[in-house]
Amino acid sequence: MTICGNAGYNRGDDAIALALVEGLRARLPELHARVAMIALGSIAATDEVRPFLAARRRPRGLLGLAYAIARADLVIIGGGSIIQDKFGGGRVKGITGYAWMVARLAALFGRPVITAPIGVDAITTERARQSAAELLASARAIFVRDTRSMANCDAILAAAAAPVLQMACDPALALAGAAPCPDGPVILAPAFEGEFDELVIDIFARIATEVVERLGREVIVVSMDSRDDARSTRIITAVPMPARARVSASSPATLDVALDVLRGGSALIAMRLHAMILSYGSRPIACLSRTTKTDAFMEDYRVPGTGVRGDTPEAVAALLVEAVASWPQREEQAAILATRCATLDGFFDAAVALMRPQRETRTA
């Protein structure tokens, strides 16, 4: 199996890849997985998992990607928000261009493709829509992770012959539900992607201050994406003394370290989707949303929160701290977690069914 997602920079994307491996190995213990990485280091190489650098704009990187796809019994595209045109949505640029190339290479080598339960954003250009439709239509099975992604995918494939869309939760949700830690710090997980950065710093600094002063808790600002480190540090320096003495930063280099930080918290206030996914069902969560995927998560998973421009920074911070001061959604979220995780069985069953003919041919 070769997984072509966005692992490397973001601990959430690492979680998706490793959850996919874990779920399939539970059904096929002899499975070996190659995991395409944007940057190496956050997923360790083992006998079962081989990370490789998918630097597709370099000859060696493209050759490595082609080799991993040619050797696979199954190619999994995703997860994460693979279909989007925020950073380029043609056949070359952006994550959609990368996924399009993976789909073309799989077709060249005659390898079946399935999408992990992916996020699908609303597409804004015809060029991006065509690229997205081509790569999705080439898959043997298409899974999406939420109702908004389903609607957006329907719109993209309106005029294309494609498999019936299926719903399953984000694979990383299988790693959620750890035992709560009621006496732990409050974890903050901001996100920085060039939009609203100064506003995000202001809001999270206010949140940290209010958590210390109102709730009497320690605060840890965690960078789920290695590119967030410097701006996360700026949140801490914006917290006034003496509250700043009770606020610290964490920059986990691997998923295991990130899980330790998240599971050690008593509550979470986050912009990063996978910080919320990995903490879901085990502690209070509040969301500061800036994009479709976090809007959809709040809606589908009954998570309280607001948009990054929902009100003044003071009001937004107060709302989010109030949302985690109690946890009225606890039983409801536990039931949602169990129900959604059960949907992964359909995805893994479909993946195994696609792999079997390839394996039988190879071993014949």
Side-chain angles (χ1 to χ4, degrees), residues 4-7 10 12-13 16 77-89 94-99 115-123 132 135-136 143-146 148-149 152 170-171 193 272-274 277 290-297:
C4 295
N6 202 29
N10 191 300
D13 291 310
I16 292 171
I77 294 180
S81 296
I82 292 295
I83 307 301
Q84 56 167 286
D85 58 357
K86 183 177 180 181
F87 302 108
I95 189 65
T96 300
Y98 164 62
T115 71
I118 55 173
V120 181
D121 287 356
I123 297 298
L135 80 89
L136 288 168
F143 283 83
V144 296
R145 69 183 179 195
D146 54 64
R148 294 196 185 193
S149 293
N152 290 337
D170 188 295
E193 293 187 354
R272 285 289 176 195
L273 175 63
H274 282 90
I277 285 174
R290 80 196 192 298
T291 187
T292 300
K293 62 185 178 184
T294 42
D295 285 346
F297 189 74

Side-chain angles (χ1 to χ4, degrees), residues 45-61:
T46 67
D47 290 341
E48 296 82 24
V49 180
R50 299 179 188 175
F52 67 95
L53 188 63
R56 59 192 172 106
R57 290 188 177 88
R58 300 176 185 174
R60 185 174 180 179

Side-chain angles (χ1 to χ4, degrees), residues 110-115 136-142 163-164 166 354 358:
R111 301 304 174 196
V113 169
I114 185 173
T115 71
L136 288 168
S138 70
R140 302 280 186 89
I142 303 171
V164 175
Q166 301 179 68
L354 287 171
Q358 303 291 322

Side-chain angles (χ1 to χ4, degrees), residues 31-347:
L31 179 85
H32 292 268
R34 292 180 173 88
V35 179
M37 305 288 290
I38 304 302
L40 293 174
S42 61
I43 293 179
T46 67
D47 290 341
E48 296 82 24
V49 180
R50 299 179 188 175
F52 67 95
L53 188 63
R56 59 192 172 106
R57 290 188 177 88
R58 300 176 185 174
R60 185 174 180 179
L62 182 56
L63 183 62
L65 183 62
Y67 176 83
I69 291 170
R71 295 277 295 171
D73 294 320
L74 177 68
V75 177
I76 299 179
I77 294 180
S81 296
I82 292 295
I83 307 301
Q84 56 167 286
D85 58 357
K86 183 177 180 181
F87 302 108
R91 296 171 180 169
V92 178
K93 292 184 178 181
I95 189 65
T96 300
Y98 164 62
W100 184 90
M101 176 180 288
V102 169
R104 296 279 70 74
L105 286 170
L108 176 66
F109 294 116
R111 301 304 174 196
V113 169
I114 185 173
T115 71
I118 55 173
V120 181
D121 287 356
I123 297 298
T124 61
T125 67
E126 179 61 21
R127 180 182 174 189
R129 191 203 65 76
Q130 290 178 353
S131 300
E134 287 170 4
L135 80 89
L136 288 168
S138 70
R140 302 280 186 89
I142 303 171
F143 283 83
V144 296
R145 69 183 179 195
D146 54 64
T147 53
R148 294 196 185 193
S149 293
M150 179 74 80
N152 290 337
C153 200
D154 265 330
I156 290 168
L157 292 171
V164 175
L165 302 182
Q166 301 179 68
M167 182 95 72
C169 71
D170 188 295
L173 205 68
L175 304 178
C181 187
D183 298 324
V186 173
I187 310 299
L188 309 185
F192 300 99
E193 293 187 354
E195 292 181 299
F196 316 120
D197 285 3
E198 296 303 317
L199 179 59
V200 168
I201 291 168
D202 185 16
I203 291 173
F204 274 95
R206 293 175 187 275
I207 290 170
T209 303
E210 189 160 344
V211 167
V212 171
E213 294 178 350
R214 176 183 168 190
L215 303 185
R217 293 284 184 187
E218 305 288 320
V219 173
I220 297 177
V221 183
V222 62
S223 296
M224 292 295 289
D225 189 307
S226 57
R227 296 166 291 185
D228 289 349
D229 292 354
R231 284 163 291 191
S232 293
T233 300
R234 287 183 58 199
I235 292 172
I236 298 174
T237 60
V239 175
M241 298 298 287
R244 191 188 308 169
R246 301 186 66 183
V247 183
S248 60
S250 175
S251 302
T254 66
L255 175 62
D256 286 343
V257 177
L259 285 172
D260 285 344
V261 173
L262 295 170
R263 291 171 177 174
S266 59
L268 172 73
I269 299 174
M271 294 179 74
R272 285 289 176 195
L273 175 63
H274 282 90
M276 292 187 286
I277 285 174
L278 295 169
S279 302
Y280 189 75
S282 60
R283 62 214 72 234
I285 296 173
C287 175
L288 181 61
S289 181
R290 80 196 192 298
T291 187
T292 300
K293 62 185 178 184
T294 42
D295 285 346
F297 189 74
M298 286 196 295
E299 181 180 324
D300 288 357
Y301 289 85
R302 292 284 293 129
V303 172
T306 186
V308 71
R309 286 185 167 176
D311 208 327
T312 65
E314 297 90 340
V316 169
L319 183 153
L320 295 173
V321 173
E322 175 61 29
V324 299
S326 61
W327 194 12
Q329 306 91 358
R330 179 171 187 163
E331 292 185 2
E332 182 181 18
Q333 289 181 356
I336 290 171
L337 177 62
T339 301
R340 294 304 174 92
C341 284
T343 66
L344 285 172
D345 288 339
F347 167 75

